[in-house]
Amino acid sequence: MKRGTIFIFLFILFAAGIIGASQFLRSQPPLLVTIAVNPLADSWVRAAAAEFNATQPITSTARPVQIVVQTVNDLDVWANENLFNWTATTSPHPAAWIASMSAAVDYAERYPFEIAEPSLAQTPLVWGGFSSRMNALIDPQEIVPLSWRAVNEAVEAGTWANYTGGTEISGNVSPAFNRPTRTMPGFAAVISAAAEYFDSPTPSSANLSANDFRAFVAPIFSSVSNYSTLGDSAAGAMAARGMTVGQFALLPESEWLTNLRGQLIGGDPLVLAYPAYAVIFDFPFALWTGDTTPDGGDARAAAEQFAAFLLTPAQQTTAQRYGLRTAAGDFVTAGDSLFAAAVGYGLSADPVILGTARMPGRSDAERLLSWLGTVVR
């Protein structure tokens, strides 16, 4: 056989081997890549995962990839370590975690997570409630018209008739919050209160443990009639059942927007107002860096592809359909977007605030949580 013919023959064999290996890898079961997601971003990320999987992504070795979304509450990861363990064989760890904010990733210090993208989307905490009650609390003469001080005074008054701004309203004062001992939005609301109380975006350890601050905030969160009745979404419960479950609350903006229906747009419609110190959920993308196996490397690479997919213009636009601002904090109010629907209720692209509150360190957060457990039962 001539030398040239041999080379051609070997090339054909080599090419056939590559094609065969590629076809073999593509025929293998897909590499399941788990992405843990905070409930606030869950609907958007699940829809995006379905779109991403439909593109038939593959690893660098041509193995098929499938993104699997796992809904995880941040506090379960870092505050309930006796009940939650990603290293256990019964609970395999994810390739990446989209927490509500970077502080949650910092708090989960026993897990080898590294933030690869600081933000995939944003949503701030926003006051909202039925207009009659919100207007009683709002002071239009103030730079920031709704304050924690007004909320504290109303709660301490017990009934609207006993509160200066609500003398013509009957019934008890009934706030609604996400449970601060179980959810990051609920816990972040307490930090918002501390920032305003001490007029500082960074409440200190001494501030958070101060008796006067705790005496100020305790009646507010203990006055929620029934956290269980509020379920997973206080805004959803208020939209469905009205003032019987709550009259006003400090909740993520996306929660208000995705539940803008029912009694929230009825005869006593929703009013939104931004707190003095913003708390922003920015959904960082954190990669698990503890694996050294080939699958671990492939899973990380696939997770990074998915993060890049979430940051594409198309997916950033899609996030707004779920009430989330873009990673840059932008949103559109054109057409039939959730943001367009909320403009008339007080939505603001650039609200007047005094600053952005920062979450405390883990030890301070744990101490505050422990104390809140004695207040909220």
Side-chain angles (χ1 to χ4, degrees), residues 26-368:
R26 285 176 178 272
S27 68
Q28 296 301 298
L31 174 64
L32 301 181
V33 179
T34 299
I35 309 294
V37 184
N38 180 272
L40 287 175
D42 182 77
S43 295
W44 169 50
V45 174
R46 282 185 184 277
E51 290 187 41
F52 182 77
N53 290 339
T55 67
Q56 299 182 323
I58 58 174
T59 67
S60 59
T61 57
R63 183 177 176 184
V65 168
Q66 184 174 5
I67 299 295
V68 178
V69 177
Q70 176 189 18
T71 308
V72 176
N73 190 310
D74 293 355
L75 263 74
D76 286 340
V77 178
W78 65 267
N80 296 324
E81 295 181 349
N82 293 331
L83 301 176
F84 189 92
N85 186 358
W86 264 328
T87 61
T89 56
T90 55
S91 181
H93 69 76
W97 177 28
I98 303 173
S100 65
M101 58 174 63
S102 58
V105 180
D106 294 338
Y107 293 162
E109 55 192 23
R110 67 175 180 149
Y111 294 123
F113 282 110
E114 182 178 287
I115 294 178
E117 294 291 347
S119 177
L120 298 176
Q122 291 187 23
T123 195
L125 281 180
V126 184
W127 286 110
F130 297 100
S131 58
S132 60
R133 273 56 176 178
M134 289 289 286
N135 291 336
L137 294 168
I138 286 173
D139 183 349
Q141 304 303 315
E142 296 290 337
I143 296 175
V144 180
L146 202 164
S147 69
W148 280 96
R149 173 187 50 75
V151 171
N152 168 270
E153 290 175 356
V155 167
E156 293 280 26
T159 65
W160 289 104
N162 289 333
Y163 174 61
T164 304
T167 53
E168 297 181 359
I169 303 173
S170 62
N172 295 328
V173 177
S174 180
F177 296 95
N178 290 320
R179 191 187 295 266
T181 54
R182 298 279 181 84
T183 69
M184 283 299 282
F187 183 66
V190 181
I191 302 304
S192 170
E196 184 181 308
Y197 185 84
F198 293 105
D199 196 18
S200 169
T202 55
S204 67
S205 178
N207 290 157
L208 296 176
S209 59
N211 290 333
D212 58 338
F213 166 67
R214 292 188 172 185
F216 173 85
V217 80
I220 297 174
F221 288 91
S222 63
S223 65
V224 174
S225 58
N226 191 327
Y227 280 99
S228 297
T229 300
L230 295 172
D232 294 331
S233 171
M238 292 167 69
R241 300 174 60 185
M243 295 190 197
T244 60
V245 293
Q247 300 161 350
F248 61 92
L250 184 67
L251 303 173
E253 182 182 71
S254 62
E255 190 173 333
W256 292 117
L257 269 57
T258 54
N259 289 287
L260 194 55
R261 60 178 185 272
Q263 296 197 41
L264 288 179
I265 59 173
D268 198 349
L270 174 71
V271 168
L272 298 174
Y274 293 80
Y277 285 90
V279 178
I280 298 173
F281 302 99
D282 52 7
F283 307 106
F285 192 88
L287 288 169
W288 182 284
T289 60
D291 278 349
T292 57
T293 63
D295 275 2
D298 283 346
R300 281 198 302 276
E304 288 176 316
Q305 289 181 49
F306 184 56
F309 181 75
L310 291 171
L311 288 169
T312 61
Q315 284 303 315
Q316 289 289 288
T317 297
T318 300
Q320 296 173 64
R321 298 175 192 166
Y322 296 91
L324 299 170
R325 302 183 183 213
T326 68
D330 301 324
F331 59 81
V332 298
T333 56
D336 60 354
S337 75
L338 294 180
F339 292 92
V343 168
Y345 299 96
L347 173 80
S348 175
D350 188 23
V352 176
I353 60 172
L354 301 182
T356 300
R358 293 182 59 186
M359 302 297 285
R362 172 169 173 146
S363 58
D364 289 333
E366 288 179 323
R367 283 192 288 270
L368 184 59

